[in-house]
Amino acid sequence: MGRAPALIAFPTPWSCIRQISRLTAHFDCRAISPADQTALRFNTGVPSNAVFCRASPVAIQSFHLIWYAPTDPENSMVDSSINPPSAKKPPEKRLDSWKEIATYLNRDVTTVQRWEKCEGMPVHRHLHDKRGSVYAFPAELDGWARSRQFLLVAEGRSRQNSGITADTHAPPPANAPGNTLWRWIVPLLVFASVVATCVSFWMQRTDRFWGNPITGARFEAVTDWGGLEQAAAISRDGQFIAFLSDREGQMDVWVTQVGSGQFHNLTHGSAPELVNPSVRTLGFSPDGSLVTYWVRKPGISQGADIGIWAVPILGGEPRPYLDGAAECDWSSDGQMLAYHTSGPGDPLFVSAGKQPAGGPIFVAPDGLHAHFPTWSPDKKFIYFVQGSLPDKLDVWRIPASGGAPERITSYNSQVSYPILLNRRTLVYLATDPDGSGPWLYMMDVERRIPHRLSGGLDRYTSLAASANGRRLAVTLSVPRTSLWNLHIDPSRETASAPAPITLTTSSGYRPRLGPDFLLYLSAGATSESIWKLVNGVTTELWRGEGAEIIGGPAISADGRAIAFSVRQNGRLSLYVMASDGANPRILTDSLDLQGDPAWEPDERALITAVVDHGAPRLFRVQLNGSPPVPFVSQQSSDPAWAPDGSLALYSGPDIGTTFSVKAVKPDGSALAIPPLTLTRGARHLTFLPGSRTLVVLRGELQHKNLWLVSLDTGNELQLTNLPADFDARGFDVSPDGHEAVLERIQDRSEVVLVTLARR
């Protein structure tokens, strides 16, 4: 038997047409005998509706087209260019008996002998043999059959008039008009079928049937106060919008009726900590009478004291709504409730109303989070965002009854606020691989092809939809980062008021202080870069096209070297260069890096977090090129060494909105220190020179101050008292301990109502 036929793929409809046109030029679709067709189907397993044609031994099985010919083992490989059959004619076979002649014509011996005697069928005899020793050539028999067909056609007309019936045992014509017609019809039908299949496949793979749901939508600004609005939610009937705003100084829950132009403060400062960008903070009860909101109890930073409270939409006293829950979502009929707590893995529960639930239907793996639970309209699935905070996340879903989770998106970036407009249309927020955004995205959950819906420079920070999916409430934000410096008096343990630092770049963030210079990052249109400020003069030290710098740069103790991590062209690399930007080189590009690196005291190695088995853990990377080795086996990131090298601190896993600071000895073994829990959002740790006093940012998610923490006594002292609107996200302290620099985030945002056009 010959080699199995090759499968031919058609990447686009136009290449399909060109390819099939070349194929059909060599078709000869005279039917193969039923017996041969049956044998072919049995031996090759082709479909019962396959069309068999005599030509070169090629198969396009996916379209049920078979070219059939005896296969030569030496010529069984078919070139993808599909050359036509060779014009060289092989030696003609001779039929050497009446039996072979009868078999060739598909008749019995008596009939073919009569045709030879009465109708001149060309049969040859060996003159020296007996009368029965005959032979014939197939080409001559085919020519006789064609000529006889023309006679039968004319003769049949006269016999119809005389009532004489034509011979029912006539041989099959080799080129009858009907077969000539099918010779053209069959290739055309096959051609049309192949092209239609290619076009359909191509359009589905490229999602050509997709339509932008916000095309023709009406956009209406709900707020334009010049301050900060965020976390917008919309009632099921689309008539009310709730949001967080600092319009009266502190952050409060506000509500407005669409189109009324009137706004009402529902909390009036009663809930001092309302902001949490990692969860859906606001919502409505199923009947629309209550606004629900996430809250952490004042003065307590433990995740177990987080809960959901509610306040009447017309105003009134806030009260507990779902104690111990961090987020919740009601099903489309208002009967089932999905919620998760703030425990490790964010356990997800489903209950009938607010009745006590059984065990969780899902718990995220160690070190990961599962936020933003959202019911599908048909109540079959619960969608949620899972991953490592803040920017290694994706949308997943799980059956409402429990089971294995299914990944829907593949961003591994900052993803949030998934909603469903209908059973198939998923809308969500996500950042690009370079960190820009978040932008508004849409996906058909069956085709799984993402489409970006938004453009321009506006960032989307929240997203909500009415029950029928026709109204969306979004918040648009234009952030600005700036650097501020302040002076520290170590003897008095006080600090001055911060003052802005003048930069020549459009932005500055993740500051690091060296002996006599300041390093910071700045973002351009397509990449991030590292800049150096010395005596008021800024210099760009490093830039990579399409590069995203992970965490902040690390300056060696002598100030002569800089280490930093970069994501570029799909690869993660750990760089080292001189503090003037000279001689940058890659230490490793084989690790899944995360967070800030840190120099070891002897400056022979770096400690950095590496995602290992789904969770970040600290590894030691030698400067001499030795293979990286594990340093801390537990989940850990963002290390900081004590000045004397006696210990290293690191950040543990997030629990709710907090994380613990832990310590290890130089050999990586655990070291006990006074308990220290910080709020998520600022993980950088540093020491005052020559001491075991730690400097940290602590406070609420969007308002923190610098604190001093003694690792010897556990005593804590607040170093700064920043204004309420000063959102410090990063900091660093100079090597001499007399100066600090703060990274400030300022947002100008507004709530926008989007009314989708009817389809």
Side-chain angles (χ1 to χ4, degrees), residues 344-579:
D346 299 311
L348 178 62
F349 298 85
V350 173
S351 65
K354 294 173 66 175
Q355 300 299 319
I361 65 168
F362 176 75
V363 179
D366 182 32
L368 302 184
H369 289 263
H371 294 173
F372 298 100
T374 304
W375 283 93
S376 63
D378 57 10
K379 298 173 57 176
K380 291 183 178 180
F381 295 98
I382 297 174
Y383 289 75
F384 59 96
V385 171
Q386 179 183 234
S388 177
L389 293 173
D391 56 3
K392 293 183 179 294
L393 302 161
D394 270 297
V395 178
W396 294 64
R397 73 179 182 185
I398 188 172
S401 58
E406 177 186 7
R407 189 172 185 170
I408 304 299
T409 65
S410 299
Y411 290 93
N412 198 33
S413 66
Q414 183 179 332
V415 179
S416 61
Y417 287 95
I419 61 171
L420 286 113
L421 303 185
N422 51 53
R423 183 179 61 85
R424 293 179 54 171
T425 306
L426 173 69
V427 185
Y428 53 93
L429 307 181
T431 56
D432 287 340
D434 62 1
S436 60
W439 315 115
L440 191 63
Y441 278 87
M442 172 267 181
M443 174 185 289
D444 184 320
V445 296
E446 294 187 5
R447 292 192 176 128
R448 310 270 174 101
I449 300 175
H451 299 274
R452 179 171 160 179
L453 305 181
S454 58
L457 300 177
D458 289 338
R459 295 170 61 248
Y460 286 75
T461 58
S462 74
L463 172 65
S466 60
N468 61 9
R470 287 209 57 230
R471 280 186 164 179
L472 308 180
V474 302
T475 51
L476 299 179
S477 174
V478 181
R480 179 179 178 270
T481 60
S482 57
L483 299 181
W484 299 63
N485 71 329
L486 51 86
H487 298 284
I488 300 174
D489 185 347
S491 61
R492 297 183 180 181
E493 297 180 329
T494 59
S496 66
I501 299 175
T502 302
L503 303 175
T504 60
T505 54
S506 60
S507 62
Y509 51 96
R510 296 178 199 158
R512 297 294 183 265
L513 284 168
D516 57 359
F517 61 86
L518 167 66
L519 291 183
Y520 66 92
L521 306 186
S522 183
T526 60
S527 61
E528 291 183 316
S529 52
I530 300 176
W531 290 75
K532 184 177 184 179
L533 176 63
V534 181
N535 298 324
V537 178
T538 55
T539 305
E540 185 179 63
L541 299 185
W542 187 91
R543 174 188 294 272
E545 185 61 32
E548 176 193 357
I549 300 174
I550 303 170
I555 303 173
S556 60
D558 60 8
R560 299 171 58 185
I562 301 169
F564 56 98
S565 301
V566 175
R567 178 184 289 110
Q568 187 177 21
N569 299 324
R571 303 179 68 178
L572 291 164
S573 304
L574 180 60
Y575 278 82
V576 171
M577 67 180 180
S579 60

Side-chain angles (χ1 to χ4, degrees), residues 634-708:
Q634 298 179 350
Q635 181 174 339
S636 47
S637 64
D638 302 285
W641 281 94
D644 60 2
S646 61
L647 61 90
L649 301 178
Y650 65 86
S651 301
D654 290 345
I655 304 297
T657 60
T658 64
F659 64 93
S660 297
V661 176
K662 300 181 180 181
V664 292
K665 300 176 182 178
D667 61 1
S669 59
L671 177 66
I673 60 172
L676 178 59
T677 300
L678 300 178
T679 304
R680 192 172 63 228
R683 292 179 176 271
H684 184 57
L685 309 170
T686 189
F687 286 86
L688 289 179
S691 71
R692 289 163 57 96
T693 299
L694 186 65
V695 185
V696 299
L697 271 176
R698 72 181 314 174
E700 303 173 5
L701 284 172
Q702 289 191 324
H703 183 256
K704 299 179 177 67
N705 277 285
L706 288 177
W707 285 68
L708 301 179

Side-chain angles (χ1 to χ4, degrees), residues 52-100:
F52 293 89
C53 301
R54 299 179 186 275
S56 58
V58 178
I60 308 177
Q61 293 181 336
S62 60
F63 303 118
H64 296 178
L65 165 65
I66 302 295
W67 275 357
Y68 166 74
T71 304
D72 182 355
E74 296 181 359
N75 195 29
S76 59
M77 293 298 292
V78 181
D79 186 76
S80 61
S81 61
I82 312 181
N83 294 319
S86 174
K88 184 178 179 180
K89 185 177 180 180
E92 188 172 9
K93 181 181 178 181
R94 192 174 72 175
L95 307 174
D96 287 317
S97 66
W98 285 111
K99 184 176 181 181
E100 290 185 11

